[in-house]
Amino acid sequence: MKQYDGMASAKDEELVRCYQQDKDDRLLAFLFARYQKMIAGQTRWYNSCSISQEDLFQEGRIGFFKAVRDYNPDHGIPFAIFAQRCVRCQFITALKTMQRLKHQPLNQAYSLDNSIAGSGRDYTLMDILSSADETINPEYCLLMKEDYGYCRSIVEKELTPFDLRIFLCYICGRSYQAIATDTGVSVKSVDNALHRSKQKLRRHILRHQDIQPEMFRHYLIIQQLLLRLQEDADENILPLQLPDLLQDLIA
């Protein structure tokens, strides 16, 4: 790794430029430490009863990471101002997401019967589910759809926006390191978020006894397909490997 002398006295813009070039995590950590008070201050300003202070702070870190990643000095805006705007925008996005998830009816969710656009293709996600296993009949596909809708509503109700983002990335099969890189947080923060998510979901399942293993398995299968289709609808859909999450939650 390169050595960066005089980081404490270096200007923000210079540190950001070096990080954009080298992707050195030491620079990012130093910038986070320098702006920690600003992020914490914005967290208190956007205090919300629907999102904990810890989750808001994590959202602020994500906004700050986006600022470091996207900052362009040619626009003539000091980095400090740009970073503050990015943090605020991230807070607003998180709060709007939480409100939308609270009030969004299931029939406004991604339809499993929507046609999947693509070159020479005209079929739905339910077609994919039925074709993946010749033993799956239309009635079973409808059962999977109902299970997905119910489990999805529970997951989005129980998890905060930050934890939900991490949880969905994990379902999609990404590694802890890949999730940390995409969201701008540490691997430890990813691990903590997943631990909280598993605890909340397991607590709900044990308390209400409303989700059976097969129901959650259906949710995982469909959610993985949806996430992969959203990432790249033109990629061939490969057989899915269910994560150990099912065993962790319902054992």
Side-chain angles (χ1 to χ4, degrees):
M1 286 188 178
K2 294 181 179 180
Q3 296 296 323
Y4 300 94
D5 297 326
M7 281 198 301
S9 59
K11 292 184 177 181
D12 296 335
E13 289 75 10
E14 179 63 20
L15 293 173
V16 170
R17 182 186 64 81
C18 290
Y19 175 77
Q20 290 175 345
Q21 290 178 348
D22 303 332
K23 298 296 187 292
D24 192 322
D25 289 339
R26 292 175 301 168
L27 289 170
L28 185 61
F30 183 81
L31 284 165
F32 271 135
R34 179 176 282 186
Y35 278 85
Q36 185 170 350
K37 288 185 178 180
M38 183 274 286
I39 298 173
Q42 294 293 320
T43 299
R44 289 190 293 270
W45 178 258
Y46 284 91
N47 183 33
S48 169
C49 60
S50 59
I51 305 180
S52 69
Q53 287 288 297
E54 180 182 357
D55 284 323
L56 271 177
F57 185 75
Q58 292 294 346
E59 292 291 340
R61 286 175 62 88
I62 292 173
F64 184 79
F65 170 74
K66 292 178 179 179
V68 175
R69 182 193 63 191
D70 300 334
Y71 178 69
N72 187 345
D74 294 339
H75 293 163
I77 302 175
F79 175 75
I81 296 177
F82 181 73
Q84 191 174 60
R85 289 179 182 177
C86 288
V87 170
R88 287 179 178 177
C89 287
Q90 189 67 31
F91 284 148
I92 293 171
T93 299
L95 292 170
K96 286 183 176 179
T97 299
M98 174 59 76
Q99 292 302 316
R100 184 172 68 251
L101 292 178
K102 278 188 172 182
H103 299 98
Q104 180 186 43
L106 281 176
N107 60 9
Q108 291 181 358
Y110 187 102
S111 175
L112 303 182
D113 299 309
N114 282 349
S115 176
I116 300 173
S119 56
R121 302 188 305 182
D122 185 18
Y123 51 82
T124 69
L125 185 60
M126 295 308 292
D127 293 330
I128 297 174
L129 290 174
S130 58
S131 64
D133 188 340
E134 294 180 355
T135 64
I136 296 180
N137 55 42
E139 291 78 12
Y140 189 72
C141 287
L142 289 175
L143 177 63
M144 292 182 71
K145 180 179 179 180
E146 292 180 0
D147 289 347
Y148 165 76
Y150 184 79
C151 292
R152 177 179 183 268
S153 68
I154 298 301
V155 170
E156 293 182 350
K157 177 183 177 181
E158 292 290 336
L159 306 188
T160 65
F162 174 77
D163 288 352
L164 179 60
R165 181 185 294 118
I166 302 297
F167 182 77
L168 293 180
C169 287
Y170 177 69
I171 286 179
C172 200
R174 294 181 181 176
S175 67
Y176 280 30
Q177 184 59 59
I179 298 172
T181 300
D182 290 344
T183 56
V185 300
S186 66
V187 173
K188 180 63 176 176
S189 295
V190 171
D191 183 64
N192 289 340
L194 287 173
H195 180 70
R196 287 194 301 271
S197 297
K198 292 175 183 179
Q199 279 191 323
K200 290 177 181 177
L201 293 176
R202 183 173 179 81
R203 188 161 54 242
H204 173 94
I205 292 169
L206 291 176
R207 181 187 302 128
H208 298 282
Q209 298 291 316
D210 56 346
I211 297 178
Q212 300 301 316
E214 190 68 8
M215 291 176 63
F216 206 80
R217 178 178 175 273
H218 293 163
Y219 164 77
L220 291 175
I221 291 173
I222 295 178
Q223 188 65 76
Q224 282 186 333
L225 283 172
L226 288 174
L227 291 170
R228 295 186 181 192
L229 286 172
Q230 290 170 1
E231 287 187 350
D232 192 343
D234 292 328
E235 289 291 329
N236 292 326
I237 298 174
L238 301 176
L240 300 175
Q241 296 295 325
L242 294 182
D244 294 333
L245 181 62
L246 182 61
Q247 181 66 27
D248 292 342
L249 292 177
I250 311 175

